[in-house]
Amino acid sequence: HTAAAVVYIREGAHGLETFLTYRPTPESPMGRICFPGGVVEQDDHEPVGWYGPTPAQWAQKLGHDDVVVARSAVVAAVRESFEEVGVLLSGPNEQDTVEYTEASETMASRESIAGHELGFIAYLKRGGLKLRTDLLKPLGRWQTPDFSHRRFDTHFFASVVPVGQRPKLLSSKGVWGRWVPARDVVADQVADRGVRGGQLLHV
């Protein structure tokens, strides 16, 4: 399964921070403590407005021979980010992004997209928005071992939260979402409810 995740970063009071979420069940390819992300869905293959590197360029950046797979990973990264934490890497043109994504109607749309009642691409088209793929930077690629029962090919992207937006976890997507000092993640000191940062990417 192709999957994607976005590693959001910012400069915090104690140095570099990243936004993590905690899911109580290990069903996600991201792990229990994870970056916003998930698997590619069928709707991610639909036509969508696009700014930034082309799908072919993304395939090269991600080390893919299959342009369709690379494109779907980029779309999934943007969709999952919006579903889970409300950060929308999209805009009406090549310079602007959406602001104030915390409105109640936006939250309702996120719930509908997560529940497959509303298509993400349909949501973008309705708002006259296109993907801002130029806001994503390829960060890495991780594949589950051959012996895993469910195998994932996960693409990680780095980004910053657009001006005017603030990540907020969708309640159906986990227990908490918060900014965490990157040094704590590296030192395996992200602990909450008995879960440690070492569970990143464990499935």
Side-chain angles (χ1 to χ4, degrees), residues 58-138:
W58 272 113
Q60 185 175 24
K61 289 174 180 287
L62 299 177
H64 260 302
D65 294 328
D66 192 329
V67 174
V68 174
V69 172
R71 177 192 179 281
S72 66
V74 173
V75 176
V78 179
R79 174 183 54 75
E80 287 284 349
S81 176
F82 181 57
E83 278 185 34
E84 290 188 17
V85 298
V87 177
L88 184 56
L89 302 178
S90 304
N93 53 55
E94 295 181 82
Q95 289 78 39
D96 300 319
T97 52
V98 176
E99 295 186 12
Y100 311 114
T101 56
E102 297 177 80
S104 58
E105 58 267 25
T106 303
M107 187 67 76
S109 294
R110 289 171 58 196
E111 289 283 9
S112 296
I113 293 170
H116 303 286
E117 300 165 359
L118 171 65
F120 174 62
I121 293 177
Y123 172 80
L124 293 179
K125 290 180 178 178
R126 186 174 68 188
L129 304 173
K130 297 182 179 181
L131 300 183
R132 286 286 309 276
T133 75
D134 57 307
L135 300 180
L136 292 170
K137 303 299 178 186

Side-chain angles (χ1 to χ4, degrees), residues 2-76:
T2 303
V6 183
V7 180
Y8 285 104
I9 56 175
R10 75 176 186 183
E11 191 64 36
H14 303 287
L16 193 67
E17 297 180 335
T18 187
F19 196 84
L20 293 176
T21 67
Y22 168 43
R23 307 178 189 190
T25 58
E27 298 173 356
S28 166
M30 304 296 115
R32 287 189 177 183
I33 293 181
C34 52
F35 303 107
V39 297
V40 168
E41 298 180 353
Q42 186 58 43
D43 289 350
D44 295 332
H45 297 285
E46 294 182 4
V48 63
W50 193 284
Y51 295 122
T54 65
Q57 289 172 324
W58 272 113
Q60 185 175 24
K61 289 174 180 287
L62 299 177
H64 260 302
D65 294 328
D66 192 329
V67 174
V68 174
V69 172
R71 177 192 179 281
S72 66
V74 173
V75 176

